[in-house]
Amino acid sequence: MRRREKWLPSGRFALGAALVCVPLVLALFGPLFAGEPGPRATSFTLGGGHWLGTDFVGRDVWWQVLFGGRPVVVVALAATTLAYLVALPVGLISALTHRTWLEEVLMRPLDVLLAVPSLLMILLVASVFSPGAAGLALLVALVNIPDAARIVRAAAADVASRPAVEALRMQGESWWRIAVGHVGRSILRPLAADAGVRLTGVLYLVATAAFLGIGVAPDAADWAVMVDRNRTGLFVQPWAVVVPALLIVTLTMGCNLLFDALLSAGRDVTPERVVVRRGVDVRDRTKEPRP
């Protein structure tokens, strides 16, 4: 039988959840409590009824913090989801197909995209078009698809070469049941590990694009835009730069710690999968149990 360690919240899990909670709550629910922006004050004002002062054009920094997280978080989550929606079927088909030409057709164009730096591709597209938030999410997803598809293919190819998959094929199981029901379930752990790192990279890429003015208006209430527009007054009004920058860093660090803790918990002690169908018993051992 498969034995699993108990799922207990470790220190990394608690720290990661705490770090993620603050920026995520501000991003998702902050606009509901922000209210209407107050009258503008003189640039870079501290105090005067403004908790964190005002920015370079006199807008309330706290109000912008409440409004500025949703674009970054929503675009990053949408881009990561879109990347995996394409990378998963492409990687699974490439790993399970016996047709070399099909694998070449699927993977070689992705290798070409992988050779172009992510930010350079976004800058090239943005120089021709003016993408909004949806366009930025599509661009970021596009530059992440090649790497994600290669990881899916590598993880799935290892599982596809095992006797259990061959036994399922001999039993006449459908491709969908083999690819999703067996191979897909077997690669959840490496995909979860990749998702944590990829989400962090996507967050930084989205923030960098917004910092450069891609996908957002120059005066938008956005954490990355706040850092860019207020950096000249860092020593006069530091909160307009420090607070949004810390929220972005906290979110990325929390995601990494949270995924790492979730992967460490509940790991298999004796991972043995047994496939018994129509009288066939194929034991797929990824690690021999300790004596």
Side-chain angles (χ1 to χ4, degrees), residues 172-251:
E173 295 291 350
S174 64
W175 183 91
W176 178 264
R177 190 176 186 87
I178 295 173
V180 179
H182 181 74
V183 177
R185 291 177 59 186
S186 301
I187 63 174
L188 286 179
R189 290 180 65 81
L191 288 187
D194 177 67
V197 178
R198 191 163 307 282
L199 180 59
T200 300
V202 167
L203 279 167
Y204 275 122
L205 190 58
V206 170
T208 303
F211 183 84
L212 297 174
I214 301 173
V216 295
D219 59 345
D222 183 281
W223 289 347
V225 174
M226 291 176 65
V227 175
D228 177 38
R229 297 295 180 262
N230 296 290
R231 69 183 188 277
T232 56
L234 177 61
F235 296 103
V236 179
Q237 216 293 50
W239 301 119
V241 177
V242 173
V243 172
L246 279 178
L247 288 171
I248 294 174
V249 173
T250 300
L251 183 59

Side-chain angles (χ1 to χ4, degrees), residues 133-166:
L136 180 59
L138 289 173
L139 278 176
V140 175
L142 179 64
V143 299
N144 277 274
I145 286 172
D147 192 32
R150 289 172 66 89
I151 289 176
V152 172
R153 181 189 175 280
D158 178 62
V159 179
S161 63
R162 297 173 183 171
V165 175
E166 190 62 31

Side-chain angles (χ1 to χ4, degrees), residues 76-95:
L77 291 176
T80 305
T81 303
L82 288 172
Y84 278 111
L85 285 177
V86 178
L88 277 171
V90 170
L92 288 174
I93 293 172
S94 300

Side-chain angles (χ1 to χ4, degrees), residues 101-148:
W101 66 267
L102 179 58
E103 182 180 356
E104 294 293 325
V105 168
L106 291 174
M107 298 304 297
R108 296 295 78 78
L110 297 182
D111 292 341
V112 175
L113 290 176
L114 193 61
V116 183
S118 303
L119 189 57
L120 177 60
M121 180 178 293
I122 292 177
L123 289 173
L124 288 175
V125 175
S127 64
V128 180
F129 305 100
S130 298
L136 180 59
L138 289 173
L139 278 176
V140 175
L142 179 64
V143 299
N144 277 274
I145 286 172
D147 192 32

Side-chain angles (χ1 to χ4, degrees), residues 259-274:
F259 273 92
D260 187 44
L262 290 174
L263 287 170
S264 299
R267 61 181 179 269
D268 289 342
V269 179
T270 56
E272 182 184 80
R273 287 178 292 277
V274 182

